[in-house]
Amino acid sequence: MIIVNSIIIQEYMETQSDWYHKIAREISPYQDTLTKKDSKKYKLDLLLRVADRVDSFSSACGECQLFQTDINRLTEELGTLVQMPDKEKRRSYNKAIKNIVKHLQKQHNLVTKGQYKEMGMAIGVGVGIALGAVFDNIGAGIGIGTGVGMAVGSYLDKKAKKEGGVI
């Protein structure tokens, strides 16, 4: 099984460009040294996934080519941002990542991890309140609506992941 997985990983890595590998090498030391909390704060996993997606679309999308420059800048600024935390710089950093994610969602029809599950829960609560009011038991309605919403959302998330539509 390990041999099969390494072959799959090797084939996947061959489809990625030198640019992506450079970005991954620049982010890797931060992933290894920062705490999970700080890694999450600087959205290192998301930045790496976004770089992968931008890389895959850059040959056909001019905006993604421009975003490669932005990602280069973000990874270069990461060292300064980690060493000397500045709220304004971190806001700018997060805003840049958010803009790239919005582009990937709108232009390339991708979704973020857990997006459908979150939407399903929100819709489920609304439907659950309505059902609860009809049956005169709002608590049960919310529980049922949330459960159904999460189930449908989880299914859609798995389907999007299987189809390669997740950032």
PDB file of all heavy atoms in Angstrom, residues 99-123:
ATOM      1  N   ASN A  99      -9.082  37.271  -1.348  1.00  0.00           N
ATOM      2  CA  ASN A  99      -9.367  37.682  -2.721  1.00  0.00           C
ATOM      3  C   ASN A  99      -9.070  36.554  -3.714  1.00  0.00           C
ATOM      4  O   ASN A  99      -9.817  36.352  -4.677  1.00  0.00           O
ATOM      5  CB  ASN A  99      -8.563  38.926  -3.097  1.00  0.00           C
ATOM      6  CG  ASN A  99      -9.099  40.171  -2.438  1.00  0.00           C
ATOM      7  OD1 ASN A  99     -10.261  40.240  -2.068  1.00  0.00           O
ATOM      8  ND2 ASN A  99      -8.246  41.161  -2.279  1.00  0.00           N
ATOM      9  N   ILE A 100      -7.998  35.840  -3.475  1.00  0.00           N
ATOM     10  CA  ILE A 100      -7.648  34.726  -4.361  1.00  0.00           C
ATOM     11  C   ILE A 100      -8.694  33.621  -4.240  1.00  0.00           C
ATOM     12  O   ILE A 100      -9.137  33.054  -5.242  1.00  0.00           O
ATOM     13  CB  ILE A 100      -6.235  34.190  -4.046  1.00  0.00           C
ATOM     14  CG1 ILE A 100      -5.188  35.286  -4.261  1.00  0.00           C
ATOM     15  CG2 ILE A 100      -5.908  32.978  -4.913  1.00  0.00           C
ATOM     16  CD1 ILE A 100      -3.799  34.950  -3.729  1.00  0.00           C
ATOM     17  N   VAL A 101      -9.118  33.334  -3.008  1.00  0.00           N
ATOM     18  CA  VAL A 101     -10.138  32.308  -2.783  1.00  0.00           C
ATOM     19  C   VAL A 101     -11.438  32.706  -3.478  1.00  0.00           C
ATOM     20  O   VAL A 101     -12.080  31.869  -4.138  1.00  0.00           O
ATOM     21  CB  VAL A 101     -10.363  32.065  -1.268  1.00  0.00           C
ATOM     22  CG1 VAL A 101     -11.601  31.220  -1.018  1.00  0.00           C
ATOM     23  CG2 VAL A 101      -9.146  31.403  -0.648  1.00  0.00           C
ATOM     24  N   LYS A 102     -11.830  33.977  -3.382  1.00  0.00           N
ATOM     25  CA  LYS A 102     -13.056  34.443  -4.047  1.00  0.00           C
ATOM     26  C   LYS A 102     -12.968  34.231  -5.554  1.00  0.00           C
ATOM     27  O   LYS A 102     -13.934  33.801  -6.188  1.00  0.00           O
ATOM     28  CB  LYS A 102     -13.299  35.926  -3.758  1.00  0.00           C
ATOM     29  CG  LYS A 102     -13.895  36.196  -2.415  1.00  0.00           C
ATOM     30  CD  LYS A 102     -14.167  37.676  -2.254  1.00  0.00           C
ATOM     31  CE  LYS A 102     -14.708  37.985  -0.897  1.00  0.00           C
ATOM     32  NZ  LYS A 102     -14.963  39.431  -0.716  1.00  0.00           N
ATOM     33  N   HIS A 103     -11.809  34.537  -6.131  1.00  0.00           N
ATOM     34  CA  HIS A 103     -11.627  34.320  -7.565  1.00  0.00           C
ATOM     35  C   HIS A 103     -11.786  32.846  -7.910  1.00  0.00           C
ATOM     36  O   HIS A 103     -12.484  32.504  -8.875  1.00  0.00           O
ATOM     37  CB  HIS A 103     -10.244  34.820  -8.017  1.00  0.00           C
ATOM     38  CG  HIS A 103      -9.864  34.352  -9.381  1.00  0.00           C
ATOM     39  ND1 HIS A 103     -10.389  34.917 -10.528  1.00  0.00           N
ATOM     40  CD2 HIS A 103      -9.035  33.359  -9.795  1.00  0.00           C
ATOM     41  CE1 HIS A 103      -9.896  34.291 -11.580  1.00  0.00           C
ATOM     42  NE2 HIS A 103      -9.071  33.344 -11.158  1.00  0.00           N
ATOM     43  N   LEU A 104     -11.147  31.980  -7.133  1.00  0.00           N
ATOM     44  CA  LEU A 104     -11.232  30.545  -7.395  1.00  0.00           C
ATOM     45  C   LEU A 104     -12.669  30.040  -7.272  1.00  0.00           C
ATOM     46  O   LEU A 104     -13.096  29.167  -8.028  1.00  0.00           O
ATOM     47  CB  LEU A 104     -10.303  29.769  -6.455  1.00  0.00           C
ATOM     48  CG  LEU A 104      -8.804  29.971  -6.679  1.00  0.00           C
ATOM     49  CD1 LEU A 104      -8.004  29.323  -5.557  1.00  0.00           C
ATOM     50  CD2 LEU A 104      -8.379  29.422  -8.032  1.00  0.00           C
ATOM     51  N   GLN A 105     -13.416  30.601  -6.346  1.00  0.00           N
ATOM     52  CA  GLN A 105     -14.808  30.201  -6.171  1.00  0.00           C
ATOM     53  C   GLN A 105     -15.671  30.682  -7.336  1.00  0.00           C
ATOM     54  O   GLN A 105     -16.471  29.925  -7.873  1.00  0.00           O
ATOM     55  CB  GLN A 105     -15.359  30.742  -4.856  1.00  0.00           C
ATOM     56  CG  GLN A 105     -14.807  30.043  -3.639  1.00  0.00           C
ATOM     57  CD  GLN A 105     -15.267  30.690  -2.346  1.00  0.00           C
ATOM     58  OE1 GLN A 105     -15.373  31.906  -2.245  1.00  0.00           O
ATOM     59  NE2 GLN A 105     -15.525  29.857  -1.349  1.00  0.00           N
ATOM     60  N   LYS A 106     -15.526  31.939  -7.707  1.00  0.00           N
ATOM     61  CA  LYS A 106     -16.390  32.509  -8.738  1.00  0.00           C
ATOM     62  C   LYS A 106     -16.010  32.056 -10.145  1.00  0.00           C
ATOM     63  O   LYS A 106     -16.880  31.666 -10.923  1.00  0.00           O
ATOM     64  CB  LYS A 106     -16.348  34.037  -8.680  1.00  0.00           C
ATOM     65  CG  LYS A 106     -17.066  34.607  -7.486  1.00  0.00           C
ATOM     66  CD  LYS A 106     -17.019  36.110  -7.473  1.00  0.00           C
ATOM     67  CE  LYS A 106     -17.718  36.651  -6.244  1.00  0.00           C
ATOM     68  NZ  LYS A 106     -17.637  38.113  -6.171  1.00  0.00           N
ATOM     69  N   GLN A 107     -14.743  32.139 -10.482  1.00  0.00           N
ATOM     70  CA  GLN A 107     -14.321  31.867 -11.852  1.00  0.00           C
ATOM     71  C   GLN A 107     -14.109  30.378 -12.138  1.00  0.00           C
ATOM     72  O   GLN A 107     -14.262  29.952 -13.278  1.00  0.00           O
ATOM     73  CB  GLN A 107     -13.030  32.628 -12.171  1.00  0.00           C
ATOM     74  CG  GLN A 107     -13.173  34.128 -12.062  1.00  0.00           C
ATOM     75  CD  GLN A 107     -14.247  34.680 -12.997  1.00  0.00           C
ATOM     76  OE1 GLN A 107     -14.350  34.273 -14.134  1.00  0.00           O
ATOM     77  NE2 GLN A 107     -15.042  35.608 -12.486  1.00  0.00           N
ATOM     78  N   HIS A 108     -13.731  29.615 -11.149  1.00  0.00           N
ATOM     79  CA  HIS A 108     -13.393  28.212 -11.374  1.00  0.00           C
ATOM     80  C   HIS A 108     -14.332  27.252 -10.646  1.00  0.00           C
ATOM     81  O   HIS A 108     -14.083  26.043 -10.612  1.00  0.00           O
ATOM     82  CB  HIS A 108     -11.935  27.960 -10.975  1.00  0.00           C
ATOM     83  CG  HIS A 108     -10.975  28.847 -11.711  1.00  0.00           C
ATOM     84  ND1 HIS A 108     -10.734  28.724 -13.058  1.00  0.00           N
ATOM     85  CD2 HIS A 108     -10.216  29.883 -11.292  1.00  0.00           C
ATOM     86  CE1 HIS A 108      -9.853  29.643 -13.436  1.00  0.00           C
ATOM     87  NE2 HIS A 108      -9.527  30.368 -12.384  1.00  0.00           N
ATOM     88  N   ASN A 109     -15.389  27.804 -10.046  1.00  0.00           N
ATOM     89  CA  ASN A 109     -16.430  27.002  -9.385  1.00  0.00           C
ATOM     90  C   ASN A 109     -15.882  26.033  -8.338  1.00  0.00           C
ATOM     91  O   ASN A 109     -16.314  24.885  -8.252  1.00  0.00           O
ATOM     92  CB  ASN A 109     -17.257  26.239 -10.422  1.00  0.00           C
ATOM     93  CG  ASN A 109     -17.946  27.159 -11.390  1.00  0.00           C
ATOM     94  OD1 ASN A 109     -18.432  28.213 -10.997  1.00  0.00           O
ATOM     95  ND2 ASN A 109     -17.967  26.793 -12.653  1.00  0.00           N
ATOM     96  N   LEU A 110     -14.951  26.508  -7.531  1.00  0.00           N
ATOM     97  CA  LEU A 110     -14.414  25.700  -6.440  1.00  0.00           C
ATOM     98  C   LEU A 110     -15.097  26.102  -5.133  1.00  0.00           C
ATOM     99  O   LEU A 110     -15.664  27.191  -5.028  1.00  0.00           O
ATOM    100  CB  LEU A 110     -12.903  25.901  -6.319  1.00  0.00           C
ATOM    101  CG  LEU A 110     -12.076  25.507  -7.544  1.00  0.00           C
ATOM    102  CD1 LEU A 110     -10.606  25.806  -7.298  1.00  0.00           C
ATOM    103  CD2 LEU A 110     -12.262  24.043  -7.887  1.00  0.00           C
ATOM    104  N   VAL A 111     -15.035  25.229  -4.150  1.00  0.00           N
ATOM    105  CA  VAL A 111     -15.599  25.517  -2.832  1.00  0.00           C
ATOM    106  C   VAL A 111     -14.510  25.317  -1.786  1.00  0.00           C
ATOM    107  O   VAL A 111     -13.529  24.616  -2.019  1.00  0.00           O
ATOM    108  CB  VAL A 111     -16.813  24.614  -2.508  1.00  0.00           C
ATOM    109  CG1 VAL A 111     -17.961  24.893  -3.445  1.00  0.00           C
ATOM    110  CG2 VAL A 111     -16.450  23.146  -2.533  1.00  0.00           C
ATOM    111  N   THR A 112     -14.699  25.934  -0.637  1.00  0.00           N
ATOM    112  CA  THR A 112     -13.753  25.739   0.461  1.00  0.00           C
ATOM    113  C   THR A 112     -14.152  24.486   1.241  1.00  0.00           C
ATOM    114  O   THR A 112     -15.279  23.994   1.116  1.00  0.00           O
ATOM    115  CB  THR A 112     -13.739  26.952   1.413  1.00  0.00           C
ATOM    116  OG1 THR A 112     -15.065  27.179   1.889  1.00  0.00           O
ATOM    117  CG2 THR A 112     -13.221  28.193   0.708  1.00  0.00           C
ATOM    118  N   LYS A 113     -13.210  23.984   2.042  1.00  0.00           N
ATOM    119  CA  LYS A 113     -13.497  22.804   2.856  1.00  0.00           C
ATOM    120  C   LYS A 113     -14.677  23.085   3.778  1.00  0.00           C
ATOM    121  O   LYS A 113     -14.704  24.090   4.481  1.00  0.00           O
ATOM    122  CB  LYS A 113     -12.285  22.459   3.722  1.00  0.00           C
ATOM    123  CG  LYS A 113     -11.224  21.692   3.049  1.00  0.00           C
ATOM    124  CD  LYS A 113     -10.146  21.303   4.060  1.00  0.00           C
ATOM    125  CE  LYS A 113      -9.108  20.421   3.466  1.00  0.00           C
ATOM    126  NZ  LYS A 113      -8.068  20.083   4.446  1.00  0.00           N
ATOM    127  N   GLY A 114     -15.654  22.198   3.785  1.00  0.00           N
ATOM    128  CA  GLY A 114     -16.779  22.302   4.702  1.00  0.00           C
ATOM    129  C   GLY A 114     -17.812  23.363   4.340  1.00  0.00           C
ATOM    130  O   GLY A 114     -18.725  23.624   5.113  1.00  0.00           O
ATOM    131  N   GLN A 115     -17.700  23.955   3.165  1.00  0.00           N
ATOM    132  CA  GLN A 115     -18.618  25.040   2.786  1.00  0.00           C
ATOM    133  C   GLN A 115     -20.058  24.555   2.719  1.00  0.00           C
ATOM    134  O   GLN A 115     -20.965  25.206   3.236  1.00  0.00           O
ATOM    135  CB  GLN A 115     -18.201  25.621   1.431  1.00  0.00           C
ATOM    136  CG  GLN A 115     -19.099  26.749   0.951  1.00  0.00           C
ATOM    137  CD  GLN A 115     -18.581  27.395  -0.323  1.00  0.00           C
ATOM    138  OE1 GLN A 115     -17.382  27.435  -0.559  1.00  0.00           O
ATOM    139  NE2 GLN A 115     -19.482  27.879  -1.130  1.00  0.00           N
ATOM    140  N   TYR A 116     -20.293  23.420   2.106  1.00  0.00           N
ATOM    141  CA  TYR A 116     -21.662  22.908   1.985  1.00  0.00           C
ATOM    142  C   TYR A 116     -22.226  22.486   3.338  1.00  0.00           C
ATOM    143  O   TYR A 116     -23.413  22.655   3.604  1.00  0.00           O
ATOM    144  CB  TYR A 116     -21.716  21.731   1.009  1.00  0.00           C
ATOM    145  CG  TYR A 116     -21.529  22.136  -0.436  1.00  0.00           C
ATOM    146  CD1 TYR A 116     -20.545  21.541  -1.203  1.00  0.00           C
ATOM    147  CD2 TYR A 116     -22.334  23.091  -1.028  1.00  0.00           C
ATOM    148  CE1 TYR A 116     -20.367  21.897  -2.539  1.00  0.00           C
ATOM    149  CE2 TYR A 116     -22.172  23.459  -2.349  1.00  0.00           C
ATOM    150  CZ  TYR A 116     -21.183  22.855  -3.101  1.00  0.00           C
ATOM    151  OH  TYR A 116     -21.010  23.211  -4.407  1.00  0.00           O
ATOM    152  N   LYS A 117     -21.380  21.951   4.191  1.00  0.00           N
ATOM    153  CA  LYS A 117     -21.830  21.539   5.521  1.00  0.00           C
ATOM    154  C   LYS A 117     -22.298  22.761   6.317  1.00  0.00           C
ATOM    155  O   LYS A 117     -23.340  22.727   6.971  1.00  0.00           O
ATOM    156  CB  LYS A 117     -20.700  20.819   6.246  1.00  0.00           C
ATOM    157  CG  LYS A 117     -21.113  20.144   7.519  1.00  0.00           C
ATOM    158  CD  LYS A 117     -19.952  19.323   8.067  1.00  0.00           C
ATOM    159  CE  LYS A 117     -20.328  18.582   9.309  1.00  0.00           C
ATOM    160  NZ  LYS A 117     -19.211  17.793   9.822  1.00  0.00           N
ATOM    161  N   GLU A 118     -21.538  23.853   6.237  1.00  0.00           N
ATOM    162  CA  GLU A 118     -21.922  25.082   6.932  1.00  0.00           C
ATOM    163  C   GLU A 118     -23.236  25.638   6.387  1.00  0.00           C
ATOM    164  O   GLU A 118     -24.114  26.046   7.142  1.00  0.00           O
ATOM    165  CB  GLU A 118     -20.823  26.126   6.797  1.00  0.00           C
ATOM    166  CG  GLU A 118     -19.554  25.775   7.545  1.00  0.00           C
ATOM    167  CD  GLU A 118     -18.389  26.700   7.220  1.00  0.00           C
ATOM    168  OE1 GLU A 118     -18.574  27.679   6.460  1.00  0.00           O
ATOM    169  OE2 GLU A 118     -17.280  26.440   7.715  1.00  0.00           O
ATOM    170  N   MET A 119     -23.362  25.640   5.058  1.00  0.00           N
ATOM    171  CA  MET A 119     -24.601  26.129   4.446  1.00  0.00           C
ATOM    172  C   MET A 119     -25.778  25.233   4.825  1.00  0.00           C
ATOM    173  O   MET A 119     -26.879  25.727   5.113  1.00  0.00           O
ATOM    174  CB  MET A 119     -24.457  26.185   2.921  1.00  0.00           C
ATOM    175  CG  MET A 119     -23.590  27.316   2.446  1.00  0.00           C
ATOM    176  SD  MET A 119     -23.261  27.399   0.664  1.00  0.00           S
ATOM    177  CE  MET A 119     -24.576  26.576  -0.120  1.00  0.00           C
ATOM    178  N   GLY A 120     -25.544  23.927   4.824  1.00  0.00           N
ATOM    179  CA  GLY A 120     -26.602  22.984   5.181  1.00  0.00           C
ATOM    180  C   GLY A 120     -27.091  23.180   6.600  1.00  0.00           C
ATOM    181  O   GLY A 120     -28.296  23.120   6.867  1.00  0.00           O
ATOM    182  N   MET A 121     -26.147  23.431   7.507  1.00  0.00           N
ATOM    183  CA  MET A 121     -26.541  23.679   8.898  1.00  0.00           C
ATOM    184  C   MET A 121     -27.392  24.941   9.004  1.00  0.00           C
ATOM    185  O   MET A 121     -28.420  24.953   9.689  1.00  0.00           O
ATOM    186  CB  MET A 121     -25.308  23.815   9.790  1.00  0.00           C
ATOM    187  CG  MET A 121     -24.713  22.500  10.203  1.00  0.00           C
ATOM    188  SD  MET A 121     -23.261  22.620  11.271  1.00  0.00           S
ATOM    189  CE  MET A 121     -23.563  23.989  12.306  1.00  0.00           C
ATOM    190  N   ALA A 122     -26.970  26.002   8.338  1.00  0.00           N
ATOM    191  CA  ALA A 122     -27.706  27.269   8.416  1.00  0.00           C
ATOM    192  C   ALA A 122     -29.115  27.115   7.842  1.00  0.00           C
ATOM    193  O   ALA A 122     -30.099  27.556   8.446  1.00  0.00           O
ATOM    194  CB  ALA A 122     -26.942  28.357   7.673  1.00  0.00           C
ATOM    195  N   ILE A 123     -29.206  26.487   6.696  1.00  0.00           N
ATOM    196  CA  ILE A 123     -30.516  26.271   6.083  1.00  0.00           C
ATOM    197  C   ILE A 123     -31.344  25.324   6.942  1.00  0.00           C
ATOM    198  O   ILE A 123     -32.554  25.535   7.133  1.00  0.00           O
ATOM    199  CB  ILE A 123     -30.359  25.729   4.644  1.00  0.00           C
ATOM    200  CG1 ILE A 123     -29.745  26.815   3.755  1.00  0.00           C
ATOM    201  CG2 ILE A 123     -31.694  25.266   4.077  1.00  0.00           C
ATOM    202  CD1 ILE A 123     -29.304  26.338   2.400  1.00  0.00           C
TER     203      ILE A 123
END
